[in-house]
Structure formats: structure tokens, C-alpha cells
Amino acid sequence: METFYEEHTDLNEGILYPFDCHIQKGLGKVTLANAHWHYYIELLYCVSGKAQVFISGDNYDFNVGDMVLINSREVHSVYGITEDVVEYIVIKFDPNILYSTSITVFESKYVFPFTSSKSTHQKIFTNNEIKDTSIPKLIHEILMENTKKSYGYELSIRNNIGGVFLIILRNWYDKGLDLNITTNINDKALKRLQKIFDYVDNNYMNSISAESVAFNSDMSYSYFSRFFKASVGKSFSKYLNYVRITEAEKLLLSTNLNITEIALEIGFTSSSYFIQQFEHYKILSPKQFKKKFNLNIK
């Protein structure tokens, strides 16, 4: 199996753009996108054929008119499942593009479900769900704008991406889904949260605790615990374990490290506790997870 890689948005005439859009195409039962992950958000829209999309070990049918939403840092891959031509539009972008200018409090609460909170919300939007919305039109306009690159196309692409996500968020809201949106979060709290998220991303493989993160964040342990739970919706220890398990997925599918080595690599001191936590989040053992994924992609 090929190693995971972290994609970066492509340079366009020497300029690093926070978005990209192109057509992905393949004939027959072929690999259309190897397993990989990245920090940006990705939308896939099927134009022809049938495929399967694997996201964090789960598989989804991907048919004409369907859209797939892949959150930041989710491991994913795409495979054709018929002898026909599979063609789909790929839109990938930095989450910051959803902000109007600089990051603001009222906008951040809507972006959190796709980045920091590691949302497990809806991944596949079927043709029946979105055909009567503006989503298909917006996606085709994004592709057209990126292809023609007429004056001001960057603004058009950003606005259309925002339009797609507004429809998604309102749809979830109308269904009564918990969007992990904290309504009482302020600018100071956002900066504190970002500092915590960055610290965890850089240190999850080490022996860190709520006490050490509280100290690094200039907060008392008791205040930090209350603040984090109220802002993120889960305790710090649960968030840390979730981050570690997410990293374990990548190592299980991209390396030949054994269970003990992976446990140590992601910050667990005990392989048995790692297995326990993995089963808690994934409902199967690390070995079963790896076997399931390997069988799926054959």
C-alpha cells in the first residue's frame, strides 16, 4: 500500500492559491485517488459512472449527482466499481476561505464543524437530496470559473464555495442536527482554543495532560477543564484520545509498524489501552480496521 501523503494546494503561475478545482476521470475498476489526507476541505461531485469513496475506513457509494464532503484531516480514497468511465469534479480549499476577511467570532462557529471539532457529520449527499438545491449549479460554476479564470474569478469561487456550505449548514440545522456550534464563544476564547489545538497537534505523540496544556495556556486546571468542555463539547482527555486515534488510522494504513509501535508513536504508554480506545472510537480493533480497509480496496 502506498504511503499517505499530505497534499498541498497547487501553485498557479507561482502563486499559492487557497483553492483548486479539476475533473478526475478513470475507466473501469481503477484507483481514482490513493489513500491520503490533507488540511484542506474537499468536495467531490459525480458527473458520470459509479465509484466508492472511503473516508476514515468507512465506504460510501458515489453515483451520478451525488456530492461527497471530506473534512480537514480525514483519510480518504476513491475507487471505480464498474467498467464505465467515472468522472467527478474535485473542489479543494483551505477552510479559511469560508471567512470573509480575517477570522471572526461569528464565522468561526460555523467553520468549527469541519476543522477543529473533528465533526462526524454527513459525508455523502445523494442526488435526491441536492438536485433541487443550488449546489449542482454552484459546483459547475466553480469549475467553469477556475477553468476560464476571467477577471475576478477568485471572488466568484470563494462566494460559490460559501454558498454550498451555507446550504449544507442550513440543511443540517433544519434537521435538528447538533453542529457543535458554540454560541457563547468570544474572540479571546477562540484564540485560546486555537492555541490549544495547535499545541495538541504538535505534541499529541508526547506525554501531555490537561494540567500541562492548562499551564501552557495560562489557565488554572479547573478553569481550563470547564472552558474546554464548554467550548468543544468533550473533555480534553477525550479530545486528545480522538486526535491520537485519528493519527493511528494513518499509521495503520500507511506503515508496517506493529500495534505496540503505533501505540508508542501516537503517545499511548500501553498497547492495551490504545486498543481499548481504538475500539471505543472505531467499534473494531486496530487489526480489524487494517484488515477491513485492505479488503475494501482490492
Side-chain angles (χ1 to χ4, degrees):
M1 180 179 295
E2 293 190 19
T3 307
F4 286 114
Y5 60 94
E6 180 183 356
E7 289 187 342
H8 298 277
T9 311
D10 297 329
L11 286 171
N12 185 345
E13 297 181 355
I15 301 173
L16 184 61
Y17 275 66
F19 57 77
D20 183 47
C21 181
H22 65 274
I23 290 283
Q24 190 79 1
K25 184 185 295 187
L27 175 62
K29 299 178 181 180
V30 298
T31 300
L32 295 159
N34 285 309
H36 64 286
W37 66 278
H38 38 66
Y39 281 109
Y40 49 73
I41 297 171
E42 189 166 3
L43 294 173
L44 310 179
Y45 182 79
C46 188
V47 178
S48 67
K50 295 182 179 180
Q52 279 197 325
V53 180
F54 295 84
I55 306 176
S56 297
D58 294 321
N59 62 289
Y60 304 87
D61 290 332
F62 188 38
N63 301 310
V64 175
D66 293 347
M67 181 182 73
V68 174
L69 167 62
I70 302 167
N71 286 4
S72 175
R73 295 191 280 189
E74 287 190 313
V75 179
H76 56 282
S77 53
V78 185
Y79 304 90
I81 58 174
T82 69
E83 299 301 332
D84 302 325
V85 173
V86 177
E87 185 175 358
Y88 58 94
I89 299 171
V90 179
I91 302 170
K92 49 188 180 181
F93 59 92
D94 188 314
N96 286 331
I97 203 174
L98 294 174
Y99 298 109
S100 56
T101 51
S102 59
I103 296 176
T104 60
V105 178
F106 74 92
E107 290 173 318
S108 292
K109 65 181 181 179
Y110 299 116
V111 181
F112 269 148
F114 308 104
T115 54
S116 300
S117 64
K118 296 181 182 292
S119 169
T120 56
H121 289 309
Q122 186 175 2
K123 306 300 180 187
I124 185 79
F125 297 79
T126 66
N127 177 51
N128 285 336
E129 290 180 273
I130 65 174
K131 65 181 181 180
D132 295 325
T133 72
S134 300
I135 287 179
K137 179 175 179 289
L138 290 169
I139 288 176
H140 280 97
E141 284 183 357
I142 291 169
L143 177 64
M144 179 197 69
E145 291 283 2
N146 196 65
T147 302
K148 296 178 65 176
K149 292 183 170 53
S150 301
Y151 183 76
Y153 78 97
E154 301 96 335
L155 293 176
S156 176
I157 289 176
R158 190 190 72 181
N159 290 337
N160 285 344
I161 289 174
V164 170
F165 274 78
L166 178 60
I167 294 172
I168 292 173
L169 286 168
R170 283 181 171 171
N171 177 266
W172 286 348
Y173 182 81
D174 290 341
K175 290 179 179 178
L177 297 179
D178 176 13
L179 301 181
N180 298 324
I181 293 174
T182 305
T183 56
N184 61 346
I185 198 165
N186 57 39
D187 194 32
K188 183 178 180 181
L190 284 173
K191 290 178 180 178
R192 281 181 165 179
L193 278 175
Q194 191 60 59
K195 185 177 181 181
I196 293 167
F197 293 142
D198 291 343
Y199 184 84
V200 172
D201 283 345
N202 293 325
N203 294 279
Y204 68 85
M205 69 295 295
N206 301 320
S207 177
I208 61 176
S209 63
E211 290 86 351
S212 64
V213 179
F215 178 80
N216 182 70
S217 304
D218 299 320
M219 288 184 264
S220 68
Y221 168 70
S222 59
Y223 178 80
F224 169 80
S225 298
R226 293 193 303 271
F227 165 76
F228 193 87
K229 180 68 179 292
S231 302
V232 182
K234 63 184 70 175
S235 68
F236 176 77
S237 61
K238 287 184 177 180
Y239 175 79
L240 175 60
N241 282 339
Y242 191 91
V243 171
R244 286 172 169 170
I245 296 305
T246 301
E247 296 301 320
E249 288 183 295
K250 301 168 189 174
L251 295 177
L252 283 167
L253 301 178
S254 64
T255 74
N256 292 319
L257 295 175
N258 61 41
I259 300 301
T260 300
E261 290 171 329
I262 289 177
L264 296 175
E265 187 76 15
I266 61 174
F268 287 106
T269 57
S270 163
S271 59
S272 60
Y273 184 62
F274 161 58
I275 294 171
Q276 178 192 78
Q277 288 299 306
F278 195 95
E279 290 178 341
H280 171 72
Y281 286 101
K282 299 300 174 182
I283 322 298
L284 70 171
S285 71
K287 287 184 178 179
Q288 290 171 330
F289 176 86
K290 186 166 187 174
K291 182 179 180 181
K292 175 185 176 182
F293 190 92
N294 286 336
L295 287 174
N296 279 337
I297 66 174
K298 286 182 179 178

